Amino acid sequence: MDKIKAGVKGYLELLLFLLPVYTLVFFLQRWGVLEGLAAKAEPFMGFVGLPGEAALVIILGNFVNLYAALGAVAGLGLSSREVTILALMLLLSHNQILEGAVILRVRRGFLALAPLRFVVSVLAAHVLHPYL
Amino acid sequence: MKEYIEGLLSFSLRMAVVLIPLLTLLEVAKERWEGRRWRGFSWVLSPEGTVALLAGLIFGILYGAGVIIASLRQKRVKGREALAVVGFLSLFHAVFEDTLLFVAAGADPLAITVPRLMLAAALFVLLMYLPGRPTSSS
């Protein structure tokens, strides 16, 4: 029984990030506030085959966590092709601060793996997005 | 407003369907896991390295952090092996949870799993067998 409780607790943690991010992104998008960011991010995001506003998902996933990124995915209402590209990138590179802390605790020199993850995620999406 | 509520409900419901059973199962698995010794990868990894690799693969870097850090800090684990394991895991971990969350959000499961596994395996081989550069000892 307490195993199920742990499962529910984990889900509540997801909601804790998902709810506010989804709400914020949904309305910011609706009101056109994200257009400026989207336009700025367009050149970089085009490199990985995504629309400008998807930059928000990448930023949230890397600096906060996947739950926050999923909230933004839902709020933006992206297509399943776009979700696949984002998933490919974010599964390779996410939650950099907390996971970086774990990597650092194994051996200090290993921290170089953190930026490497991000670079690999960008290159993988660049190469694979035409096929997705 | 209707769109907001519908989007929220359908998305959180899909996440609930995936996450609650999965986290419950992982919790059960974690309890049975403790204290086991694994030799399946003994041709390339020490028992400690194997435990760290499997813990990261199944439970993820954060949830498996305790096991990963403790195992890889053992004296018997060489710097090169620890680097290769952490490098692999940095690209490929929490295979069930992270993958299923995005599949529930609409991603193609094969397209996100196969490239990731290949990249992580390539990085592992590179870090483990690349000649020269001596890796830091603890």
Side-chain angles (χ1 to χ4, degrees):
Chain A
M1 207 54 210
D2 49 321
K3 302 284 185 290
I4 297 172
K5 220 186 271 173
V8 174
K9 213 177 127 207
Y11 175 64
L12 291 179
E13 198 191 319
L14 170 129
L15 286 186
L16 188 74
F17 288 94
L18 192 103
L19 266 168
V21 174
Y22 170 79
T23 306
L24 206 65
V25 169
F26 184 91
F27 288 106
L28 288 181
Q29 158 110 328
R30 204 28 85 97
W31 299 331
V33 182
L34 294 181
E35 277 159 27
L37 170 90
K40 278 214 183 74
E42 204 75 67
F44 169 73
M45 298 308 287
F47 185 72
V48 292
L50 288 169
E53 65 264 29
L56 199 61
V57 181
I58 302 288
I59 293 168
L60 284 169
N62 274 281
F63 288 102
V64 186
N65 58 31
L66 290 178
Y67 299 159
L70 285 164
V73 165
L76 290 171
L78 299 168
S79 73
S80 77
R81 175 180 178 271
E82 289 161 349
V83 176
T84 300
I85 301 173
L86 280 167
L88 176 67
M89 292 185 74
L90 284 178
L91 290 177
L92 287 164
S93 174
H94 58 251
N95 221 340
Q96 290 277 10
I97 294 170
L98 285 180
E99 293 191 352
V102 175
I103 290 174
L104 193 70
R105 285 192 57 202
V106 177
R107 300 267 207 290
R108 233 173 290 149
F110 292 3
L111 202 61
L113 288 169
L116 180 71
R117 293 174 71 186
F118 185 72
V119 173
V120 170
S121 79
V122 172
L123 294 179
H126 176 65
V127 173
L128 292 174
H129 82 81
Y131 309 102
L132 296 173
Chain B
M1 206 54 199
K2 188 162 161 268
E3 201 186 316
Y4 167 80
I5 292 172
E6 274 177 6
L8 182 60
L9 286 183
S10 85
F11 203 82
S12 22
L13 198 69
R14 268 183 285 160
M15 294 297 141
V17 168
V18 166
L19 209 55
I20 296 174
L22 181 69
L23 292 180
T24 305
L25 274 177
L26 285 179
E27 197 69 23
V28 174
K30 203 168 189 190
E31 195 180 66
R32 302 203 172 167
W33 165 276
E34 316 231 305
R36 287 256 173 113
R37 283 173 66 85
W38 303 82
R39 294 169 192 284
F41 294 95
S42 57
W43 49 282
V44 53
L45 292 173
S46 64
E48 291 82 359
T50 309
V51 167
L53 184 75
L54 290 176
L57 268 177
I58 299 168
F59 301 110
I61 289 187
L62 296 181
Y63 198 42
V67 179
I68 295 173
I69 294 168
S71 318
L72 294 182
R73 277 185 159 184
Q74 302 285 326
K75 277 260 151 44
R76 281 213 292 168
V77 181
K78 283 187 263 44
R80 186 173 281 266
E81 179 184 345
L83 180 63
V85 169
V86 175
F88 180 93
L89 287 179
S90 76
L91 293 180
F92 197 61
H93 58 259
V95 194
F96 303 111
E97 185 189 344
D98 292 358
T99 310
L100 284 174
L101 284 175
F102 275 95
V103 171
D108 174 350
L110 275 185
I112 57 180
T113 309
V114 175
R116 213 152 48 99
L117 178 59
M118 282 163 48
L119 286 165
L123 184 62
F124 180 91
V125 172
L126 206 71
L127 295 173
M128 193 79 172
Y129 300 110
L130 201 69
R133 206 170 72 86
T135 41
S136 61
S137 57
S138 81

